[in-house]
Amino acid sequence: MNRNNYNLFWINKRLFDIILSILLLPLLLTFAVILLPLNKFFNSGSLFFVQDRMGKNCCIFSAIKFRTMLYSKEITRKYDDPIEVHRITSLGKILRKSRIDELPQILNVLVGDMSLIGPRPDYYVHALEYLKKIKGYQERHNVRPGITGLSQIRLGYVEGLEATKKKVFIDNYYIQNMGYIIEFKIIINTIIIIFRGMGK
């Protein structure tokens, strides 16, 4: 991809992010209205979950999602620990399977912290450890993180150091081969995952 085409690709990618995110705002509002009363019975606590994540150029930002886990004052899970499955609520399981929990991140996309497609942003405290321990981890932050991406559709939710190494390899492959074709394939596969309820 030559310089002009490269610049045009990034302009089109950002325009796509903004336009689709705006179109998805009514859907976000609809799910928020539906989930608000359901939370009282199946997921007691706040509707949203906000967490510090590592974004482009390794900068910190606040990612917003629909909450799927029991409330906790602080995260005790270490960077190489498995996800705390026992904390996922019954409603949270449905939200994660359908990936509806990710929908509020379109707000992060609109303000420019994220893209619809890119490497998944890691919890900032864990990401600082991965920077020290995983070759190529810093390079995966040369672009905006995404709600979906190549590693997300190939590996799903990744936990632990070794699995994160695989994620980094795929993320960097994506960055080195970015273009319209790979973006289109990621979108199609994401739609398939959503309709099959294959999220985690």
Side-chain angles (χ1 to χ4, degrees):
M1 190 183 295
N2 63 44
R3 182 75 178 178
N4 289 336
N5 288 342
Y6 180 80
N7 290 336
L8 183 61
F9 167 77
W10 279 105
I11 292 171
N12 288 335
K13 180 175 171 65
R14 182 59 185 153
L15 284 174
F16 177 77
D17 282 347
I18 293 170
I19 292 170
L20 188 55
S21 293
I22 290 173
L23 292 175
L24 288 172
L25 282 174
L27 188 63
L28 170 60
L29 181 60
T30 300
F31 276 112
V33 170
I34 293 171
L35 291 172
L36 195 57
L38 289 178
N39 265 18
K40 294 182 179 180
F41 300 99
F42 304 105
N43 199 10
S44 182
S46 61
L47 179 63
F48 297 105
F49 172 69
V50 180
Q51 186 183 63
D52 290 340
R53 299 287 180 96
M54 184 173 285
K56 186 178 179 181
N57 298 324
C58 299
C59 294
I60 191 170
F61 76 99
S62 297
I64 181 170
K65 301 173 65 176
F66 285 127
R67 189 174 54 82
T68 61
M69 289 184 161
L70 296 172
Y71 172 76
S72 176
K73 288 185 178 180
E74 59 180 348
I75 295 177
T76 57
R77 183 167 67 94
K78 304 301 181 184
Y79 71 90
D80 202 24
D81 291 342
I83 188 171
E84 299 159 301
V85 177
H86 65 282
R87 288 185 54 230
I88 301 175
T89 65
S90 56
L91 179 58
K93 289 178 183 177
I94 296 172
L95 296 179
R96 294 169 82 97
K97 284 283 185 182
S98 61
R99 293 220 173 161
I100 292 171
D101 65 315
E102 309 276 359
L103 190 56
Q105 288 180 112
I106 62 172
L107 301 176
N108 291 116
V109 174
L110 286 172
V111 299
D113 289 328
M114 295 181 67
S115 174
L116 292 172
I117 300 172
R120 184 181 188 277
D122 288 323
Y123 173 45
Y124 191 76
V125 173
H126 292 174
L128 291 175
E129 293 297 325
Y130 296 146
L131 279 172
K132 302 174 191 174
K133 303 179 187 311
I134 301 177
K135 181 180 179 181
Y137 189 78
Q138 181 173 340
E139 287 75 6
R140 77 187 285 272
H141 297 89
N142 289 337
V143 299
R144 288 188 182 98
I147 297 177
T148 187
L150 190 62
S151 65
Q152 291 95 308
I153 63 174
R154 287 191 178 179
L155 300 177
Y157 183 85
V158 168
E159 55 190 49
L161 188 63
E162 291 306 312
T164 301
K165 289 179 181 178
K166 296 178 183 178
K167 178 178 72 174
V168 168
F169 178 82
I170 295 173
D171 286 336
N172 285 332
Y173 172 86
Y174 161 75
I175 292 170
Q176 294 160 12
N177 294 276
M178 289 180 73
Y180 298 107
I181 294 176
I182 196 168
E183 299 276 306
F184 178 74
K185 288 180 178 178
I186 290 170
I187 291 170
I188 295 301
N189 278 281
T190 299
I191 292 171
I192 292 172
I193 288 170
I194 290 172
F195 278 96
R196 288 184 176 178
M198 296 166 61
K200 293 182 180 180

